[in-house]
């Protein structure tokens, strides 16, 4: 790690190193093996902050970082030297429950980070069995393993959310989805899920969608109770996007920009976000140029290192080097400060949780 770092720097640099290099597990753990969002790896709480860390990708075998237990506590070691104590959350209480039809609640929604309930509402994507599938995406893998159900109903989501609120003190919800052929059917269902959840809880809800052709669908989501929205371009390097997310490259960049603008008008500044994945082979400047464009629009650029998920088209790749991520986070956090954007102002979703990115740690400068 860089010389002259203070303790705060060391903690946030450690987070970046862990997400880039992975963590070898040498302690007995109860752990998940698949699912949406950070679909492999574990969540650890490092200095009070949740962090998702890869544990299963092939690159992890080379990591100097191990998780070990000592006297009932978990510690991160670097090449055998203790670095930091961490907390490893246990299996959430609501995972023990099932619906009246016998569907495990964990097949309907999973805990992301330590306080976010995440569900992939439609677990299939029109692009999965096509040349346009996103290379980093594992949306249908958990369906193939029967670890989830194809479509989550609004009532199922409400039932699980109420249990997770009661037993695990969740604070917000993320609803994502595979892309349907009919955007109206897709977003109308997401809106119904928001509406039913909001009828019985006050949990803030984040919804992730492709940029809709009909801006009225963004209005519908807002009217149904969605608090924040994610419209993810993934990369601002057009060549990389054509390879990594051909279905998104096929959309005009202008459609993303107009959707971000419409969404900011409806949901407000800082309540709209876009994932930017680092480590897809992009020109390094493209991330910062893209982040600058997003910040100008009031959209939070949620920069994450590539997470190569076993079973996906990119499973053999490694995440970007930690030093490259630290440089990106430093530049991007300066842009966030100039624009008055922050993870803390986001009401719900991946930005609010922050566990898949090191960026929140760099916002303070
Ligand atoms: S559009 Fe891409 S990222 Fe989204 S579900 Fe389909 S394949 Fe996955």
């Amino acid at each position: 790690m860089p010389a002259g770092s203070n303790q705060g720097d060391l903690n946030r640099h450690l987070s970046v190193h862990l997400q880039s290099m992975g963590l070898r597990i040498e302690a007995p753990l109860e752990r998940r093996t698949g699912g949406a969002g950070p679909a492999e790896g574990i969540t650890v709480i490092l200095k009070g902050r949740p962090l998702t860390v890869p544990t299963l990708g092939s690159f992890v075998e080379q990591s100097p970082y191990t998780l070990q237990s000592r006297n009932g506590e978990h510690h991160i070691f670097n090449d055998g030297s203790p670095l930091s104590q961490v907390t490893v959350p246990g299996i959430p209480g609501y995972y023990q429950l099932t619906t009246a039809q016998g569907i495990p609640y964990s097949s309907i929604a999973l805990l992301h980070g330590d306080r976010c309930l995440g569900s992939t509402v439609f677990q299939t994507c029109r692009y999965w069995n096509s040349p346009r599938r996103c290379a980093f995406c594992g949306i249908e893998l958990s369906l193939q393993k029967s670890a989830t159900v194809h479509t989550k109903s609004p009532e199922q989501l409400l039932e699980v959310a109420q249990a997770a609120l009661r037993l695990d003190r969740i604070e917000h919800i993320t609803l994502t989805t595979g892309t349907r052929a009919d955007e109206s059917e897709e977003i109308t269902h997401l809106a119904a899920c928001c509406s039913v959840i909001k009828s019985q809880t006050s949990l803030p809800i984040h919804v992730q969608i492709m940029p809709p052709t009909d801006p009225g669908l963004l209005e519908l989501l807002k009217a149904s109770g969605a608090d924040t929205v994610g419209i993810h371009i993934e990369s601002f390097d057009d060549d990389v996007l054509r390879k990594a997310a051909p279905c998104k490259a096929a959309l005009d960049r202008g459609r993303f920009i107009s959707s971000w603008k419409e969404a900011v008008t409806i949901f407000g500044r800082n309540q709209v976000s876009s994932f930017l994945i680092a480590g897809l082979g992009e020109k390094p400047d493209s991330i910062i140029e893209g982040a600058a464009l997003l910040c100008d629009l009031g959209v939070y650029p949620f920069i994450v290192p590539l997470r190569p998920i076993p079973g996906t088209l990119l499973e053999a790749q490694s995440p970007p080097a930690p030093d490259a991520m630290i440089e990106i986070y430093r530049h991007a956090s300066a842009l966030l400060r100039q624009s008055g954007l922050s993870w803390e102002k986001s009401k719900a979703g991946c930005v609010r949780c922050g566990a898949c990115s090191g960026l929140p740690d760099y916002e303070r400068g």
Side-chain angles (χ1 to χ4, degrees):
M1 292 186 210
S5 302
N6 59 34
Q7 191 58 45
D9 271 346
L10 289 177
N11 287 336
R12 61 188 183 177
H13 292 340
L14 175 58
S15 300
V16 177
H17 277 239
L18 290 172
Q19 290 195 322
S20 285
M21 305 181 82
L23 185 62
R24 290 184 286 120
I25 307 298
E26 296 183 352
L29 287 181
E30 297 171 305
R31 50 195 296 205
R32 61 185 281 206
T33 56
E40 73 90 358
I42 60 167
T43 296
V44 297
I45 312 294
L46 175 63
K47 306 297 176 197
R49 183 164 119 60
L51 191 73
T52 65
V53 182
T55 57
L56 294 179
S58 52
F59 60 94
V60 177
E61 288 169 24
Q62 309 302 322
S63 174
Y65 298 104
T66 55
L67 180 74
Q68 302 183 20
S69 59
R70 292 278 188 279
N71 304 319
E73 295 175 341
H74 288 104
H75 296 264
I76 307 272
F77 282 69
N78 179 4
D79 276 335
S81 303
L83 276 185
S84 183
Q85 186 187 341
V86 293
T87 303
V88 181
I91 299 283
Y94 80 89
Y95 281 23
Q96 311 303 324
L97 304 178
T98 60
T99 66
Q101 293 73 36
I103 301 170
Y105 280 10
S106 59
S107 296
I108 295 168
L110 290 166
L111 193 66
H112 290 203
D114 62 346
R115 291 283 181 265
C116 182
L117 185 74
S119 180
T120 304
V121 172
F122 290 114
Q123 197 79 45
T124 54
C125 177
R126 63 183 297 200
Y127 301 116
W128 184 257
N129 290 310
S130 87
R132 289 192 173 181
R133 182 208 295 194
C134 299
F136 48 80
C137 178
I139 187 164
E140 296 202 15
L141 298 178
S142 47
L143 192 61
Q144 289 163 5
K145 287 191 252 171
S146 304
T148 187
V149 292
H150 178 285
T151 303
K152 285 76 173 180
S153 72
E155 293 73 25
Q156 287 172 333
L157 288 166
L158 172 63
E159 183 177 336
V160 176
Q162 287 179 310
L165 182 59
R166 189 174 69 250
L167 298 175
D168 301 287
R169 296 182 295 125
I170 60 160
E171 294 174 354
H172 54 124
I173 294 176
T174 292
L175 301 179
T176 190
T177 179
T179 305
R180 311 290 290 172
D182 181 340
E183 72 172 15
S184 175
E185 176 214 10
E186 173 189 316
I187 296 179
T188 301
H189 183 76
L190 286 161
C193 295
C194 293
S195 185
V196 168
I197 294 169
K198 277 292 173 79
S199 71
Q200 302 285 324
T201 80
S202 57
L203 288 163
I205 304 173
H206 172 64
V207 177
Q208 301 181 339
I209 52 170
M210 289 284 238
T213 50
D214 174 6
L217 292 169
L218 289 169
E219 299 270 14
L220 174 67
L221 281 176
K222 176 70 176 171
S224 303
D227 295 278
T228 70
V229 66
I231 301 170
H232 303 158
I233 197 166
E234 323 289 359
S235 178
F236 276 92
D237 182 317
D238 291 335
D239 292 335
V240 162
L241 197 63
R242 269 191 289 278
K243 289 187 199 132
C247 58
K248 300 197 174 197
L251 302 177
D252 182 28
R253 168 90 59 90
R255 182 160 149 199
F256 277 94
I257 292 175
S258 56
S259 279
W260 288 322
K261 286 181 178 169
E262 286 152 2
V264 169
T265 303
I266 294 165
F267 291 87
R269 285 174 60 79
N270 216 129
Q271 309 309 331
V272 182
S273 55
S274 172
F275 267 67
L276 297 181
I277 303 175
L280 292 169
E282 68 283 341
K283 297 177 205 75
D285 288 351
S286 68
I287 294 183
I288 299 307
E289 288 164 12
L293 183 153
L294 291 168
C295 286
D296 277 350
L297 296 175
V299 176
Y300 190 104
F302 193 61
I303 300 170
V304 296
L306 172 67
R307 176 74 60 94
I309 300 169
T312 62
L313 299 173
L314 295 183
E315 66 177 349
Q317 288 210 15
S318 295
D323 288 353
M325 288 308 301
I326 289 169
E327 271 309 294
I328 289 169
Y329 289 146
R330 285 196 159 131
H331 281 102
S333 57
L335 294 168
L336 288 171
R337 286 192 294 279
Q338 285 162 20
S339 312
L341 302 175
S342 169
W343 73 270
E344 287 181 294
K345 297 179 186 171
S346 172
K347 294 177 192 162
C350 298
V351 174
R352 180 76 203 174
C353 167
C356 292
S357 171
L359 184 54
D361 294 328
Y362 287 80
E363 284 191 8
R364 295 183 309 276

